[in-house]
Structures are given as C-alpha cells and as structure tokens.
Amino acid sequence: MSRVIWRERLDSTMTEAARLAAEGIPNGTVVAARMQTAGQGRQGREWLSASGDGLYCTFILRLAEVPAITLALGLAVVEALTPIVGSGLDIRWPNDVLWQGKKLCGILARLEHGVVLAGIGINLNQLQFPPGLRTPATSLRLATSKTFDAEEVLNQLLGPVDQATQLNREEILRLFAQTSSYVSGRRVRVDLDGSILEGVTDGLDEFGFLRIRKENGARETVYAGSVRPLK
Amino acid sequence: MNIEEIKELIQLANDTGVAELEVQRGEHRVRIQRAVAQREVVLPAAAPVAVAAAPAVLAAAAPALAPAEKDNLYTVKSPIVGTFYEAASPDAAPFVKPGDSVMAKTTVCIIESMKLMNEIEAEVSGTIVARLVENGKPVEYGEALFTIRPN
C-alpha cells in the first residue's frame, strides 16, 4: 500500500524523495507536489511544472531487483490512463507515454544508494505548450476536453505502479512489445548525445534495450538516448 | 608501432596498475588488458577509435605510483550495461576528477540505462587515480570505470 506525501511546492519531487529515502522512508512512498520550481528532465533539462498544470510525483521503490523498471513504469502509466483517454496511447522507448503521437507523460528514474527514485510527470490541464519543445506535447485536457485533479490521477496510478514493480523481466518485455509501436518496424533517429543513429527498430534484446537495423544491414543496440520517429 | 613499443606499453600498464589501456598510432592500435592477464593486439585498426582517455590515464597515474602501490589500487566497475556520464548534466562539473578525495558513498559517475540513472559510488574511500571511460560512451557489464588509491 502506497503512502502519498503531498507538498504545495517543491524545487523537485526527485530532490525531496532523495532526502526522504536517505532518512529510510519505506518502500512505496510517493512524494507529490502541486508545483515544482525546478522540475527535472533528462540530461539536466527542465520539466515545466506550473501549479495545477500537471501531476508531479516521485515513487520511492526499494526493489530486490531492478529489471527493466523504467519500461515497467511506462506500462503502469498506460494502464492508469487508458480508462481516462481510451485508445491512442503509445510508449516511445524507453518510457515516454504518448497520446496520438504527442508526449503526455515523462518518466525519469534514478538509482541512488540502492533505492529507485522514479519521477513521473503527467500533463493534465495545459491547453497550450511553449514553443521549442523537443517533442510536441499534449495533456489529458486536450485529449478529453475535461479538467483533472492531480490527486485523483495519482490515486489511479498507485495500483498499476505497484503491480508493474512486481513483474519479472520477461513479463515486462512481453507487455512492452504489445503496448509500444516503437519496438519493431519503426523508422527512427536516435540522438546518442552527440552522434546520430538512423534505422528501423528491430525488437528488444533480453535486457530490454532497443535494437536498430541500419540501412546497410548493420545492427546496433541503444542503451540510452532520445528516440524520434522518422517519416 | 614495433614490438619494443608494445613491450613498453605492457610494462607501463603493469607499473601503473591500470586495468586496461588502448593506444593508437596512425593505423595501429594496441589494447592491453591486465585484469584478465591477456594481451590483445589488433593491427591495423579497422576504424579510427577514440583513445584520448588513454594518455590522460597514464599521465595521471604514472607519476603518482610507486611499483609497490600498483596492486593496492581499487577498480570501480560498472554494475550494468549503459552509457557513462561523468556529470549530472552536460553543463555540470564532473562528479570527480583524478586527484579528488572520495568516500565510499561518494557518487563518481552515472551509468544511464533506459532512462534509469544509476549513480555509481566509489565503494572505498581514497583518491581518484584515473577515469578509464570517455564521457557519453557505452560501457559493458563489469567494465572498469575508475581506479582509486584507497587510504
């Protein structure tokens, strides 16, 4: 059973979760904030976190094993949001949750002193987004024409996250391949923090890494980096 | 690169205690792994390879170490397959650099694997001797990341 700690305002739920984890707070605790002043994205990028716009939370997970945990978290978000938006959800490897090709949710996890800090940001009530985002974004409101309360959405997420963290790696990879259109046959460009790789996705390897087949037939495995669709 | 130069490199690897070093001169590349007591010589290189880290490793390691110390170095290894980052973000300073003192719980780098940022700890207290991997490069399971002289 998850315990949720709500704060009006934090610099980042990741920072607060790290502090609480260091104090020994139990597995399954969730830190959530109405707004963040320094929401964290990958590679030092900012996650926009205005009050009321989104759900900003970090799950503190003490797991015996960490098999493909970030893939499992994307599955949990899809599970939680499917009753809200219906069809049209997709996961872009490893774990950006998209609705009709636009980013609805970002997930970023840290393994720190043996504890997984799983940050999840879900766009709820935005009607527009600032220009210059790396991926076009959307929100639950844009998807459904309704407004959402962060606490209600988080409550819907607790069960799916709990279940997803109990899956073994084979189950996670099988479910991921069923859920994500990016696993195979998708033409993509991968930004490997400097170099660019282009090709067609060719399944996951046994650990959950994304295999890419290049035009010359060579295969590469992607461990990290940003995957973007190519027309 | 001739056999004498390769012998010198092997001697240098032994003297300094680095787990692995790779040097390229022109089209010739030599890679020496001490940890598995194996010498792998690849000539010529199939493609240009990044060896910028190797001279830096030697420069950092060589003056600091007497032969008696060579076996006392601790090697921090990657617990997973992923991408090596020396800093929390591209704009941030590296977590550690050669010469820095660390505690067992000090974060020395991040290995990113599918958006899971694994903060790697020094595991021993001591002084960083060398960083063995280039920023942003993929690392294998068990690959040597840093050497530390424990105190």
Side-chain angles (χ1 to χ4, degrees):
Chain A
M1 199 60 202
S2 300
R3 170 175 157 235
V4 182
I5 298 171
W6 271 102
R7 299 265 193 263
E8 266 319 297
R9 171 193 174 113
L10 288 172
D11 54 349
S12 157
T13 59
M14 294 300 274
T15 313
E16 179 71 355
R19 191 182 68 76
L20 294 169
E23 289 178 357
I25 207 153
N27 173 48
T29 306
V30 188
V31 179
R34 299 283 173 194
M35 67 174 286
Q36 299 182 109
T37 53
Q40 296 172 14
R42 187 171 168 270
Q43 286 284 291
R45 290 191 282 269
E46 190 186 359
W47 185 268
L48 296 172
S49 308
S51 179
D53 271 359
L55 168 62
Y56 320 113
C57 63
T58 297
F59 285 73
I60 298 169
L61 304 171
R62 299 177 188 276
L63 306 171
E65 273 187 85
V66 191
I69 179 64
T70 53
L71 302 183
L73 291 166
L75 291 170
V77 171
V78 168
E79 177 83 12
L81 297 186
T82 296
I84 297 174
V85 300
S87 60
L89 291 167
D90 193 3
I91 308 177
R92 186 175 61 197
W93 189 93
N95 59 19
D96 284 332
V97 177
L98 311 178
W99 182 76
Q100 294 191 349
K102 294 179 175 176
K103 187 158 165 174
L104 185 57
C105 165
I107 300 171
L108 184 68
R110 292 211 312 252
L111 178 62
E112 199 176 289
H113 308 306
V115 182
V116 174
L117 307 175
I120 299 179
I122 301 178
N123 297 330
L124 300 180
N125 296 317
Q126 293 95 333
L127 286 173
Q128 55 189 8
F129 291 89
L133 293 182
R134 291 161 52 92
T135 299
T138 191
S139 66
L140 288 182
R141 184 171 180 186
L142 287 169
T144 65
S145 304
K146 295 175 196 159
T147 58
F148 290 85
D149 176 66
E151 197 161 344
E152 284 172 23
V153 175
L154 175 54
N155 286 340
Q156 303 221 31
L157 189 57
L158 299 177
V161 169
D162 188 42
Q163 288 156 22
T165 55
Q166 293 174 34
L167 297 172
N168 65 36
R169 189 165 65 199
E170 288 70 28
E171 291 168 325
I172 292 168
L173 299 190
R174 183 175 50 79
L175 289 169
F176 192 89
Q178 287 171 6
T179 307
S180 169
S181 76
Y182 278 78
V183 167
S184 56
R186 195 79 192 252
R187 266 176 57 74
V188 295
R189 170 194 294 249
V190 187
D191 182 351
L192 300 164
D193 298 310
S195 63
I196 299 290
L197 168 65
E198 288 187 3
V200 177
T201 60
D202 192 29
L204 304 178
D205 75 1
E206 58 180 307
F207 303 105
F209 295 120
L210 185 62
R211 287 191 294 229
I212 307 271
R213 194 177 61 248
K214 295 197 285 189
E215 239 168 54
N216 65 9
R219 285 180 161 78
E220 287 206 28
T221 303
V222 181
Y223 302 129
S226 306
V227 177
R228 296 291 179 271
L230 278 177
K231 291 281 184 289
Chain B
M1 195 179 293
N2 61 36
I3 193 72
E4 286 307 313
E5 288 177 88
I6 292 170
K7 280 182 182 167
E8 274 178 38
L9 287 170
I10 293 167
Q11 190 58 47
L12 193 54
N14 277 329
D15 289 349
T16 57
V18 293
E20 184 171 338
L21 75 85
E22 191 169 316
V23 174
Q24 180 165 14
R25 297 224 182 105
E27 317 175 33
H28 296 156
R29 179 169 65 138
V30 58
R31 178 156 161 244
I32 297 160
Q33 281 181 300
R34 270 182 71 253
V36 291
Q38 200 180 58
R39 296 186 297 260
E40 185 187 339
V41 181
V42 184
L43 303 171
V49 290
V51 290
V57 165
L58 297 177
L65 295 174
E69 285 183 88
K70 68 184 179 190
D71 294 327
N72 297 332
L73 289 181
Y74 184 84
T75 303
V76 182
K77 294 177 180 169
S78 179
I80 51 159
V81 175
T83 302
F84 174 93
Y85 291 110
E86 63 176 357
S89 69
D91 302 331
F95 290 108
V96 293
K97 52 189 189 305
D100 283 359
S101 293
V102 293
M103 308 292 285
K105 292 283 183 190
T106 301
T107 297
V108 292
C109 64
I110 285 174
I111 308 290
E112 178 180 2
S113 174
M114 294 186 269
K115 272 202 200 169
L116 177 65
M117 306 293 166
N118 293 262
E119 301 202 353
I120 308 300
E121 298 172 1
E123 297 164 357
V124 294
S125 65
T127 306
I128 299 285
V129 173
R131 168 166 66 86
L132 306 172
V133 182
E134 238 185 298
N135 192 40
K137 295 293 177 204
V139 294
E140 296 293 332
Y141 173 79
E143 187 166 338
L145 305 174
F146 290 90
T147 47
I148 296 174
R149 186 175 333 106
N151 55 18

